[in-house]
mmCIF file of all heavy atoms in Angstrom:
data_model
loop_
_atom_site.group_PDB
_atom_site.id
_atom_site.type_symbol
_atom_site.label_atom_id
_atom_site.label_comp_id
_atom_site.label_asym_id
_atom_site.label_seq_id
_atom_site.Cartn_x
_atom_site.Cartn_y
_atom_site.Cartn_z
ATOM 1 N N MET A 1 94.069 99.530 87.472
ATOM 2 C CA MET A 1 94.287 99.588 88.921
ATOM 3 C C MET A 1 93.187 100.432 89.565
ATOM 4 O O MET A 1 92.669 101.357 88.969
ATOM 5 C CB MET A 1 95.657 100.202 89.213
ATOM 6 C CG MET A 1 96.000 100.156 90.684
ATOM 7 S SD MET A 1 97.767 100.043 90.964
ATOM 8 C CE MET A 1 98.160 101.777 91.053
ATOM 9 N N LYS A 2 92.853 100.076 90.796
ATOM 10 C CA LYS A 2 91.818 100.799 91.513
ATOM 11 C C LYS A 2 92.332 101.263 92.867
ATOM 12 O O LYS A 2 93.343 100.779 93.351
ATOM 13 C CB LYS A 2 90.594 99.894 91.715
ATOM 14 C CG LYS A 2 89.921 99.524 90.411
ATOM 15 C CD LYS A 2 88.726 98.643 90.671
ATOM 16 C CE LYS A 2 88.006 98.354 89.362
ATOM 17 N NZ LYS A 2 86.817 97.542 89.567
ATOM 18 N N GLU A 3 91.582 102.185 93.452
ATOM 19 C CA GLU A 3 91.953 102.690 94.763
ATOM 20 C C GLU A 3 90.722 102.718 95.655
ATOM 21 O O GLU A 3 89.610 103.013 95.204
ATOM 22 C CB GLU A 3 92.517 104.110 94.633
ATOM 23 C CG GLU A 3 92.998 104.678 95.964
ATOM 24 C CD GLU A 3 93.541 106.097 95.789
ATOM 25 O OE1 GLU A 3 92.736 107.023 95.637
ATOM 26 O OE2 GLU A 3 94.769 106.259 95.778
ATOM 27 N N PHE A 4 90.950 102.395 96.919
ATOM 28 C CA PHE A 4 89.860 102.476 97.884
ATOM 29 C C PHE A 4 90.373 103.175 99.138
ATOM 30 O O PHE A 4 91.456 102.864 99.633
ATOM 31 C CB PHE A 4 89.359 101.072 98.247
ATOM 32 C CG PHE A 4 88.465 101.065 99.452
ATOM 33 C CD1 PHE A 4 87.199 101.606 99.380
ATOM 34 C CD2 PHE A 4 88.903 100.541 100.657
ATOM 35 C CE1 PHE A 4 86.375 101.629 100.506
ATOM 36 C CE2 PHE A 4 88.089 100.562 101.777
ATOM 37 C CZ PHE A 4 86.826 101.101 101.696
ATOM 38 N N ALA A 5 89.586 104.128 99.618
ATOM 39 C CA ALA A 5 89.935 104.825 100.853
ATOM 40 C C ALA A 5 89.018 104.338 101.965
ATOM 41 O O ALA A 5 87.795 104.454 101.867
ATOM 42 C CB ALA A 5 89.783 106.335 100.667
ATOM 43 N N CYS A 6 89.610 103.786 102.999
ATOM 44 C CA CYS A 6 88.809 103.275 104.120
ATOM 45 C C CYS A 6 87.980 104.401 104.745
ATOM 46 O O CYS A 6 86.882 104.181 105.236
ATOM 47 C CB CYS A 6 89.728 102.621 105.158
ATOM 48 S SG CYS A 6 88.845 101.777 106.471
ATOM 49 N N GLY A 7 88.509 105.634 104.674
ATOM 50 C CA GLY A 7 87.809 106.776 105.233
ATOM 51 C C GLY A 7 86.443 107.022 104.607
ATOM 52 O O GLY A 7 85.613 107.728 105.174
ATOM 53 N N ASP A 8 86.209 106.453 103.415
ATOM 54 C CA ASP A 8 84.890 106.577 102.796
ATOM 55 C C ASP A 8 83.828 105.814 103.587
ATOM 56 O O ASP A 8 82.633 106.075 103.458
ATOM 57 C CB ASP A 8 84.922 106.040 101.358
ATOM 58 C CG ASP A 8 85.671 106.990 100.417
ATOM 59 O OD1 ASP A 8 85.955 108.124 100.831
ATOM 60 O OD2 ASP A 8 85.957 106.581 99.291
ATOM 61 N N ILE A 9 84.275 104.829 104.376
ATOM 62 C CA ILE A 9 83.337 104.041 105.176
ATOM 63 C C ILE A 9 83.521 104.330 106.661
ATOM 64 O O ILE A 9 82.557 104.518 107.394
ATOM 65 C CB ILE A 9 83.534 102.528 104.917
ATOM 66 C CG1 ILE A 9 83.126 102.193 103.479
ATOM 67 C CG2 ILE A 9 82.700 101.694 105.908
ATOM 68 C CD1 ILE A 9 83.253 100.727 103.139
ATOM 69 N N VAL A 10 84.782 104.363 107.081
ATOM 70 C CA VAL A 10 85.083 104.609 108.493
ATOM 71 C C VAL A 10 85.621 106.024 108.641
ATOM 72 O O VAL A 10 86.709 106.328 108.171
ATOM 73 C CB VAL A 10 86.142 103.604 109.010
ATOM 74 C CG1 VAL A 10 86.428 103.847 110.487
ATOM 75 C CG2 VAL A 10 85.675 102.173 108.773
ATOM 76 N N PRO A 11 84.839 106.917 109.272
ATOM 77 C CA PRO A 11 85.275 108.306 109.411
ATOM 78 C C PRO A 11 86.646 108.395 110.081
ATOM 79 O O PRO A 11 86.935 107.668 111.014
ATOM 80 C CB PRO A 11 84.197 108.935 110.297
ATOM 81 C CG PRO A 11 82.994 108.079 110.099
ATOM 82 C CD PRO A 11 83.518 106.689 109.859
ATOM 83 N N ASN A 12 87.491 109.257 109.530
ATOM 84 C CA ASN A 12 88.813 109.563 110.074
ATOM 85 C C ASN A 12 89.864 108.478 109.876
ATOM 86 O O ASN A 12 90.984 108.621 110.329
ATOM 87 C CB ASN A 12 88.742 109.907 111.576
ATOM 88 C CG ASN A 12 87.837 111.094 111.825
ATOM 89 O OD1 ASN A 12 87.847 112.055 111.067
ATOM 90 N ND2 ASN A 12 87.019 111.024 112.860
ATOM 91 N N CYS A 13 89.513 107.373 109.214
ATOM 92 C CA CYS A 13 90.541 106.385 108.913
ATOM 93 C C CYS A 13 91.306 106.857 107.680
ATOM 94 O O CYS A 13 90.711 107.247 106.690
ATOM 95 C CB CYS A 13 89.943 104.999 108.664
ATOM 96 S SG CYS A 13 91.238 103.753 108.426
ATOM 97 N N LYS A 14 92.638 106.850 107.782
ATOM 98 C CA LYS A 14 93.473 107.391 106.710
ATOM 99 C C LYS A 14 93.968 106.319 105.745
ATOM 100 O O LYS A 14 94.719 106.613 104.825
ATOM 101 C CB LYS A 14 94.696 108.099 107.308
ATOM 102 C CG LYS A 14 94.326 109.268 108.214
ATOM 103 C CD LYS A 14 94.021 110.516 107.397
ATOM 104 C CE LYS A 14 93.914 111.753 108.270
ATOM 105 N NZ LYS A 14 92.734 111.741 109.124
ATOM 106 N N ALA A 15 93.608 105.066 105.986
ATOM 107 C CA ALA A 15 94.151 103.980 105.172
ATOM 108 C C ALA A 15 93.634 104.037 103.738
ATOM 109 O O ALA A 15 92.458 104.303 103.492
ATOM 110 C CB ALA A 15 93.791 102.636 105.799
ATOM 111 N N LYS A 16 94.558 103.818 102.792
ATOM 112 C CA LYS A 16 94.174 103.744 101.384
ATOM 113 C C LYS A 16 94.789 102.489 100.787
ATOM 114 O O LYS A 16 95.881 102.077 101.184
ATOM 115 C CB LYS A 16 94.677 104.969 100.617
ATOM 116 C CG LYS A 16 93.873 106.211 100.940
ATOM 117 C CD LYS A 16 94.175 107.320 99.938
ATOM 118 C CE LYS A 16 93.237 108.507 100.174
ATOM 119 N NZ LYS A 16 93.419 109.546 99.167
ATOM 120 N N PHE A 17 94.090 101.929 99.834
ATOM 121 C CA PHE A 17 94.548 100.685 99.221
ATOM 122 C C PHE A 17 94.506 100.818 97.714
ATOM 123 O O PHE A 17 93.594 101.429 97.164
ATOM 124 C CB PHE A 17 93.647 99.523 99.652
ATOM 125 C CG PHE A 17 93.514 99.421 101.142
ATOM 126 C CD1 PHE A 17 92.469 100.069 101.787
ATOM 127 C CD2 PHE A 17 94.435 98.717 101.883
ATOM 128 C CE1 PHE A 17 92.348 100.013 103.172
ATOM 129 C CE2 PHE A 17 94.327 98.657 103.261
ATOM 130 C CZ PHE A 17 93.279 99.302 103.911
ATOM 131 N N ARG A 18 95.515 100.226 97.052
ATOM 132 C CA ARG A 18 95.548 100.246 95.603
ATOM 133 C C ARG A 18 95.858 98.860 95.084
ATOM 134 O O ARG A 18 96.600 98.105 95.711
ATOM 135 C CB ARG A 18 96.636 101.201 95.090
ATOM 136 C CG ARG A 18 96.216 102.638 95.121
ATOM 137 C CD ARG A 18 97.263 103.494 94.470
ATOM 138 N NE ARG A 18 96.787 104.881 94.345
ATOM 139 C CZ ARG A 18 97.287 105.748 93.481
ATOM 140 N NH1 ARG A 18 98.270 105.397 92.691
ATOM 141 N NH2 ARG A 18 96.798 106.960 93.405
ATOM 142 N N GLY A 19 95.311 98.551 93.937
ATOM 143 C CA GLY A 19 95.592 97.261 93.310
ATOM 144 C C GLY A 19 94.395 96.792 92.523
ATOM 145 O O GLY A 19 93.507 97.581 92.180
ATOM 146 N N THR A 20 94.375 95.494 92.254
ATOM 147 C CA THR A 20 93.204 94.930 91.597
ATOM 148 C C THR A 20 92.082 94.812 92.630
ATOM 149 O O THR A 20 92.313 94.943 93.838
ATOM 150 C CB THR A 20 93.502 93.532 91.047
ATOM 151 O OG1 THR A 20 93.798 92.673 92.149
ATOM 152 C CG2 THR A 20 94.696 93.539 90.093
ATOM 153 N N THR A 21 90.877 94.559 92.167
ATOM 154 C CA THR A 21 89.752 94.387 93.086
ATOM 155 C C THR A 21 90.066 93.326 94.134
ATOM 156 O O THR A 21 89.829 93.529 95.322
ATOM 157 C CB THR A 21 88.491 93.980 92.288
ATOM 158 O OG1 THR A 21 88.173 95.029 91.371
ATOM 159 C CG2 THR A 21 87.309 93.754 93.222
ATOM 160 N N GLU A 22 90.635 92.200 93.692
ATOM 161 C CA GLU A 22 90.938 91.110 94.614
ATOM 162 C C GLU A 22 91.995 91.525 95.642
ATOM 163 O O GLU A 22 91.893 91.193 96.826
ATOM 164 C CB GLU A 22 91.421 89.880 93.842
ATOM 165 C CG GLU A 22 90.335 89.197 93.017
ATOM 166 C CD GLU A 22 89.972 89.986 91.749
ATOM 167 O OE1 GLU A 22 90.786 90.821 91.291
ATOM 168 O OE2 GLU A 22 88.863 89.780 91.235
ATOM 169 N N GLU A 23 93.022 92.234 95.170
ATOM 170 C CA GLU A 23 94.091 92.670 96.079
ATOM 171 C C GLU A 23 93.555 93.640 97.120
ATOM 172 O O GLU A 23 93.915 93.556 98.303
ATOM 173 C CB GLU A 23 95.213 93.336 95.278
ATOM 174 C CG GLU A 23 96.057 92.345 94.489
ATOM 175 C CD GLU A 23 96.979 93.014 93.478
ATOM 176 O OE1 GLU A 23 96.819 94.228 93.213
ATOM 177 O OE2 GLU A 23 97.825 92.319 92.949
ATOM 178 N N ILE A 24 92.715 94.548 96.676
ATOM 179 C CA ILE A 24 92.158 95.529 97.614
ATOM 180 C C ILE A 24 91.275 94.832 98.641
ATOM 181 O O ILE A 24 91.378 95.093 99.837
ATOM 182 C CB ILE A 24 91.364 96.619 96.859
ATOM 183 C CG1 ILE A 24 92.334 97.468 96.030
ATOM 184 C CG2 ILE A 24 90.591 97.496 97.838
ATOM 185 C CD1 ILE A 24 91.653 98.500 95.144
ATOM 186 N N LEU A 25 90.429 93.920 98.187
ATOM 187 C CA LEU A 25 89.519 93.240 99.117
ATOM 188 C C LEU A 25 90.286 92.440 100.170
ATOM 189 O O LEU A 25 89.909 92.429 101.339
ATOM 190 C CB LEU A 25 88.552 92.328 98.357
ATOM 191 C CG LEU A 25 87.447 93.068 97.586
ATOM 192 C CD1 LEU A 25 86.623 92.075 96.788
ATOM 193 C CD2 LEU A 25 86.555 93.858 98.526
ATOM 194 N N SER A 26 91.369 91.775 99.761
ATOM 195 C CA SER A 26 92.117 90.998 100.753
ATOM 196 C C SER A 26 92.865 91.919 101.709
ATOM 197 O O SER A 26 92.938 91.655 102.907
ATOM 198 C CB SER A 26 93.063 89.999 100.078
ATOM 199 O OG SER A 26 94.033 90.666 99.319
ATOM 200 N N ALA A 27 93.383 93.044 101.189
ATOM 201 C CA ALA A 27 94.072 94.003 102.057
ATOM 202 C C ALA A 27 93.093 94.655 103.025
ATOM 203 O O ALA A 27 93.409 94.874 104.195
ATOM 204 C CB ALA A 27 94.771 95.065 101.211
ATOM 205 N N VAL A 28 91.891 94.938 102.532
ATOM 206 C CA VAL A 28 90.878 95.558 103.382
ATOM 207 C C VAL A 28 90.432 94.590 104.482
ATOM 208 O O VAL A 28 90.206 95.003 105.624
ATOM 209 C CB VAL A 28 89.662 96.012 102.537
ATOM 210 C CG1 VAL A 28 88.465 96.344 103.430
ATOM 211 C CG2 VAL A 28 90.038 97.233 101.702
ATOM 212 N N ALA A 29 90.338 93.314 104.156
ATOM 213 C CA ALA A 29 89.937 92.323 105.159
ATOM 214 C C ALA A 29 90.944 92.299 106.310
ATOM 215 O O ALA A 29 90.564 92.254 107.484
ATOM 216 C CB ALA A 29 89.814 90.940 104.520
ATOM 217 N N ILE A 30 92.255 92.347 105.964
ATOM 218 C CA ILE A 30 93.304 92.355 106.988
ATOM 219 C C ILE A 30 93.254 93.665 107.779
ATOM 220 O O ILE A 30 93.328 93.674 109.007
ATOM 221 C CB ILE A 30 94.684 92.170 106.324
ATOM 222 C CG1 ILE A 30 94.778 90.768 105.716
ATOM 223 C CG2 ILE A 30 95.812 92.402 107.339
ATOM 224 C CD1 ILE A 30 95.965 90.586 104.787
ATOM 225 N N HIS A 31 93.100 94.769 107.060
ATOM 226 C CA HIS A 31 93.038 96.083 107.704
ATOM 227 C C HIS A 31 91.818 96.181 108.627
ATOM 228 O O HIS A 31 91.920 96.694 109.746
ATOM 229 C CB HIS A 31 92.980 97.170 106.631
ATOM 230 C CG HIS A 31 92.675 98.527 107.172
ATOM 231 N ND1 HIS A 31 93.598 99.299 107.826
ATOM 232 C CD2 HIS A 31 91.525 99.259 107.178
ATOM 233 C CE1 HIS A 31 93.037 100.435 108.200
ATOM 234 N NE2 HIS A 31 91.781 100.439 107.818
ATOM 235 N N ALA A 32 90.677 95.698 108.172
ATOM 236 C CA ALA A 32 89.456 95.761 108.983
ATOM 237 C C ALA A 32 89.632 94.992 110.288
ATOM 238 O O ALA A 32 89.175 95.437 111.345
ATOM 239 C CB ALA A 32 88.271 95.187 108.196
ATOM 240 N N ARG A 33 90.336 93.864 110.199
ATOM 241 C CA ARG A 33 90.565 93.058 111.405
ATOM 242 C C ARG A 33 91.552 93.757 112.335
ATOM 243 O O ARG A 33 91.293 93.911 113.529
ATOM 244 C CB ARG A 33 91.104 91.688 110.988
ATOM 245 C CG ARG A 33 91.257 90.719 112.147
ATOM 246 C CD ARG A 33 92.093 89.516 111.732
ATOM 247 N NE ARG A 33 93.447 89.932 111.369
ATOM 248 C CZ ARG A 33 94.247 89.246 110.536
ATOM 249 N NH1 ARG A 33 93.822 88.144 109.958
ATOM 250 N NH2 ARG A 33 95.458 89.685 110.272
ATOM 251 N N ASP A 34 92.695 94.197 111.776
ATOM 252 C CA ASP A 34 93.758 94.748 112.614
ATOM 253 C C ASP A 34 93.435 96.147 113.136
ATOM 254 O O ASP A 34 93.782 96.493 114.253
ATOM 255 C CB ASP A 34 95.069 94.800 111.827
ATOM 256 C CG ASP A 34 95.609 93.397 111.544
ATOM 257 O OD1 ASP A 34 95.046 92.429 112.090
ATOM 258 O OD2 ASP A 34 96.575 93.292 110.787
ATOM 259 N N ALA A 35 92.790 96.975 112.302
ATOM 260 C CA ALA A 35 92.579 98.369 112.671
ATOM 261 C C ALA A 35 91.198 98.623 113.256
ATOM 262 O O ALA A 35 91.013 99.548 114.027
ATOM 263 C CB ALA A 35 92.807 99.266 111.457
ATOM 264 N N HIS A 36 90.213 97.803 112.854
ATOM 265 C CA HIS A 36 88.846 98.098 113.264
ATOM 266 C C HIS A 36 88.169 96.963 114.019
ATOM 267 O O HIS A 36 86.998 97.061 114.364
ATOM 268 C CB HIS A 36 88.011 98.472 112.034
ATOM 269 C CG HIS A 36 88.575 99.636 111.271
ATOM 270 N ND1 HIS A 36 88.780 100.875 111.833
ATOM 271 C CD2 HIS A 36 88.996 99.748 109.991
ATOM 272 C CE1 HIS A 36 89.308 101.692 110.916
ATOM 273 N NE2 HIS A 36 89.457 101.032 109.805
ATOM 274 N N GLY A 37 88.885 95.855 114.240
ATOM 275 C CA GLY A 37 88.331 94.757 115.031
ATOM 276 C C GLY A 37 87.214 94.001 114.347
ATOM 277 O O GLY A 37 86.436 93.314 115.001
ATOM 278 N N ILE A 38 87.141 94.118 112.997
ATOM 279 C CA ILE A 38 86.120 93.387 112.251
ATOM 280 C C ILE A 38 86.747 92.064 111.796
ATOM 281 O O ILE A 38 87.526 92.031 110.847
ATOM 282 C CB ILE A 38 85.641 94.204 111.030
ATOM 283 C CG1 ILE A 38 85.081 95.557 111.490
ATOM 284 C CG2 ILE A 38 84.590 93.422 110.233
ATOM 285 C CD1 ILE A 38 84.837 96.532 110.348
ATOM 286 N N THR A 39 86.423 90.992 112.495
ATOM 287 C CA THR A 39 87.089 89.719 112.207
ATOM 288 C C THR A 39 86.492 89.026 110.993
ATOM 289 O O THR A 39 87.181 88.300 110.292
ATOM 290 C CB THR A 39 87.020 88.783 113.423
ATOM 291 O OG1 THR A 39 85.667 88.697 113.856
ATOM 292 C CG2 THR A 39 87.885 89.312 114.550
ATOM 293 N N ALA A 40 85.214 89.236 110.750
ATOM 294 C CA ALA A 40 84.590 88.646 109.563
ATOM 295 C C ALA A 40 83.900 89.758 108.785
ATOM 296 O O ALA A 40 82.965 90.380 109.284
ATOM 297 C CB ALA A 40 83.585 87.574 109.956
ATOM 298 N N VAL A 41 84.390 90.007 107.580
ATOM 299 C CA VAL A 41 83.815 91.083 106.769
ATOM 300 C C VAL A 41 82.488 90.607 106.172
ATOM 301 O O VAL A 41 82.454 89.648 105.420
ATOM 302 C CB VAL A 41 84.788 91.481 105.649
ATOM 303 C CG1 VAL A 41 84.174 92.563 104.767
ATOM 304 C CG2 VAL A 41 86.107 91.969 106.236
ATOM 305 N N PRO A 42 81.387 91.283 106.509
ATOM 306 C CA PRO A 42 80.087 90.868 105.978
ATOM 307 C C PRO A 42 79.963 91.177 104.488
ATOM 308 O O PRO A 42 80.610 92.107 104.002
ATOM 309 C CB PRO A 42 79.078 91.690 106.792
ATOM 310 C CG PRO A 42 79.847 92.834 107.323
ATOM 311 C CD PRO A 42 81.287 92.440 107.394
ATOM 312 N N PRO A 43 79.141 90.411 103.774
ATOM 313 C CA PRO A 43 78.978 90.620 102.328
ATOM 314 C C PRO A 43 78.554 92.042 101.978
ATOM 315 O O PRO A 43 78.980 92.573 100.946
ATOM 316 C CB PRO A 43 77.879 89.628 101.942
ATOM 317 C CG PRO A 43 77.882 88.600 103.008
ATOM 318 C CD PRO A 43 78.356 89.281 104.256
ATOM 319 N N GLU A 44 77.749 92.672 102.838
ATOM 320 C CA GLU A 44 77.317 94.045 102.560
ATOM 321 C C GLU A 44 78.517 94.983 102.519
ATOM 322 O O GLU A 44 78.561 95.928 101.728
ATOM 323 C CB GLU A 44 76.340 94.562 103.625
ATOM 324 C CG GLU A 44 75.198 93.646 103.957
ATOM 325 C CD GLU A 44 75.564 92.657 105.041
ATOM 326 O OE1 GLU A 44 75.631 93.015 106.210
ATOM 327 O OE2 GLU A 44 75.788 91.480 104.661
ATOM 328 N N LEU A 45 79.498 94.716 103.390
ATOM 329 C CA LEU A 45 80.677 95.571 103.424
ATOM 330 C C LEU A 45 81.520 95.369 102.167
ATOM 331 O O LEU A 45 82.053 96.325 101.609
ATOM 332 C CB LEU A 45 81.491 95.270 104.687
ATOM 333 C CG LEU A 45 82.667 96.217 104.979
ATOM 334 C CD1 LEU A 45 82.211 97.659 105.055
ATOM 335 C CD2 LEU A 45 83.362 95.825 106.263
ATOM 336 N N VAL A 46 81.623 94.126 101.717
ATOM 337 C CA VAL A 46 82.352 93.840 100.483
ATOM 338 C C VAL A 46 81.710 94.592 99.321
ATOM 339 O O VAL A 46 82.386 95.239 98.521
ATOM 340 C CB VAL A 46 82.376 92.323 100.191
ATOM 341 C CG1 VAL A 46 82.996 92.054 98.823
ATOM 342 C CG2 VAL A 46 83.172 91.589 101.273
ATOM 343 N N THR A 47 80.381 94.551 99.239
ATOM 344 C CA THR A 47 79.660 95.258 98.190
ATOM 345 C C THR A 47 79.913 96.753 98.274
ATOM 346 O O THR A 47 80.138 97.423 97.268
ATOM 347 C CB THR A 47 78.144 94.984 98.318
ATOM 348 O OG1 THR A 47 77.943 93.578 98.291
ATOM 349 C CG2 THR A 47 77.375 95.623 97.174
ATOM 350 N N GLN A 48 79.904 97.267 99.492
ATOM 351 C CA GLN A 48 80.118 98.697 99.711
ATOM 352 C C GLN A 48 81.535 99.100 99.280
ATOM 353 O O GLN A 48 81.723 100.114 98.611
ATOM 354 C CB GLN A 48 79.906 99.008 101.195
ATOM 355 C CG GLN A 48 79.615 100.459 101.466
ATOM 356 C CD GLN A 48 79.303 100.712 102.931
ATOM 357 O OE1 GLN A 48 79.435 99.835 103.774
ATOM 358 N NE2 GLN A 48 78.895 101.921 103.231
ATOM 359 N N VAL A 49 82.515 98.295 99.672
ATOM 360 C CA VAL A 49 83.904 98.575 99.284
ATOM 361 C C VAL A 49 84.031 98.575 97.764
ATOM 362 O O VAL A 49 84.641 99.468 97.176
ATOM 363 C CB VAL A 49 84.862 97.547 99.916
ATOM 364 C CG1 VAL A 49 86.260 97.656 99.301
ATOM 365 C CG2 VAL A 49 84.950 97.738 101.428
ATOM 366 N N GLN A 50 83.431 97.579 97.117
ATOM 367 C CA GLN A 50 83.523 97.491 95.664
ATOM 368 C C GLN A 50 82.901 98.696 94.993
ATOM 369 O O GLN A 50 83.420 99.217 94.004
ATOM 370 C CB GLN A 50 82.845 96.208 95.169
ATOM 371 C CG GLN A 50 83.715 94.981 95.408
ATOM 372 C CD GLN A 50 83.023 93.693 94.984
ATOM 373 O OE1 GLN A 50 81.842 93.506 95.246
ATOM 374 N NE2 GLN A 50 83.756 92.813 94.340
ATOM 375 N N SER A 51 81.773 99.181 95.526
ATOM 376 C CA SER A 51 81.100 100.307 94.902
ATOM 377 C C SER A 51 81.856 101.614 95.123
ATOM 378 O O SER A 51 81.679 102.569 94.378
ATOM 379 C CB SER A 51 79.664 100.425 95.432
ATOM 380 O OG SER A 51 79.667 100.862 96.765
ATOM 381 N N LEU A 52 82.713 101.646 96.151
ATOM 382 C CA LEU A 52 83.454 102.871 96.459
ATOM 383 C C LEU A 52 84.846 102.896 95.841
ATOM 384 O O LEU A 52 85.551 103.897 95.928
ATOM 385 C CB LEU A 52 83.558 103.036 97.978
ATOM 386 C CG LEU A 52 82.247 103.416 98.680
ATOM 387 C CD1 LEU A 52 82.387 103.255 100.182
ATOM 388 C CD2 LEU A 52 81.848 104.837 98.339
ATOM 389 N N MET A 53 85.255 101.783 95.230
ATOM 390 C CA MET A 53 86.563 101.764 94.572
ATOM 391 C C MET A 53 86.571 102.716 93.377
ATOM 392 O O MET A 53 85.612 102.779 92.624
ATOM 393 C CB MET A 53 86.874 100.347 94.048
ATOM 394 C CG MET A 53 87.287 99.379 95.119
ATOM 395 S SD MET A 53 87.620 97.778 94.350
ATOM 396 C CE MET A 53 87.774 96.767 95.827
ATOM 397 N N ARG A 54 87.679 103.444 93.246
ATOM 398 C CA ARG A 54 87.822 104.358 92.117
ATOM 399 C C ARG A 54 88.939 103.865 91.197
ATOM 400 O O ARG A 54 89.985 103.454 91.694
ATOM 401 C CB ARG A 54 88.188 105.757 92.624
ATOM 402 C CG ARG A 54 87.052 106.449 93.341
ATOM 403 C CD ARG A 54 87.516 107.819 93.815
ATOM 404 N NE ARG A 54 88.469 107.692 94.921
ATOM 405 C CZ ARG A 54 88.128 107.759 96.199
ATOM 406 N NH1 ARG A 54 86.888 107.979 96.531
ATOM 407 N NH2 ARG A 54 89.026 107.626 97.147
ATOM 408 N N PRO A 55 88.723 103.965 89.915
ATOM 409 C CA PRO A 55 89.813 103.610 88.991
ATOM 410 C C PRO A 55 90.925 104.659 89.067
ATOM 411 O O PRO A 55 90.626 105.855 89.138
ATOM 412 C CB PRO A 55 89.159 103.581 87.618
ATOM 413 C CG PRO A 55 87.822 104.199 87.765
ATOM 414 C CD PRO A 55 87.502 104.349 89.223
ATOM 415 N N VAL A 56 92.159 104.227 89.091
ATOM 416 C CA VAL A 56 93.293 105.150 89.091
ATOM 417 C C VAL A 56 94.269 104.741 87.986
ATOM 418 O O VAL A 56 94.357 103.578 87.615
ATOM 419 C CB VAL A 56 94.039 105.169 90.447
ATOM 420 C CG1 VAL A 56 93.207 105.857 91.503
ATOM 421 C CG2 VAL A 56 94.429 103.779 90.874
ATOM 422 N N ALA A 57 94.993 105.717 87.483
ATOM 423 C CA ALA A 57 96.001 105.427 86.460
ATOM 424 C C ALA A 57 97.136 104.632 87.089
ATOM 425 O O ALA A 57 97.558 104.933 88.206
ATOM 426 C CB ALA A 57 96.538 106.722 85.882
ATOM 427 N N ALA A 58 97.622 103.625 86.418
ATOM 428 C CA ALA A 58 98.653 102.747 86.957
ATOM 429 C C ALA A 58 99.980 103.492 87.124
ATOM 430 O O ALA A 58 100.240 104.437 86.408
ATOM 431 C CB ALA A 58 98.848 101.533 86.067
HETATM 432 ZN ZN1 LIG B 1 90.295 101.741 108.160
#
């Protein structure tokens, strides 16, 4: 399992996501749209999210 903190990219955002890489990416896409107005997540952002994911104990 992995964890991603949106605050690593967007200052002061408290959202955190846990799950598989695929689960996190889909949750982040929804969060980016609803919370940050990003309707289409660019590939650079996907790469950035993936590089910032941390492994966590299940
Ligand atoms: Zn956020």
Side-chain angles (χ1 to χ4, degrees):
M1 186 150 90
K2 295 180 176 182
E3 183 180 76
F4 167 70
C6 187
D8 287 348
I9 293 181
V10 181
N12 301 320
C13 185
K14 299 279 191 291
K16 286 193 173 185
F17 307 92
R18 280 186 173 201
T20 64
T21 298
E22 290 74 21
E23 286 168 348
I24 292 175
L25 287 175
S26 63
V28 166
I30 293 168
H31 170 76
R33 185 193 63 205
D34 291 352
H36 303 302
I38 302 169
T39 51
V41 178
E44 311 87 76
L45 188 56
V46 173
T47 304
Q48 201 176 7
V49 169
Q50 283 177 317
S51 71
L52 288 168
M53 284 180 190
R54 289 179 289 265
V56 288

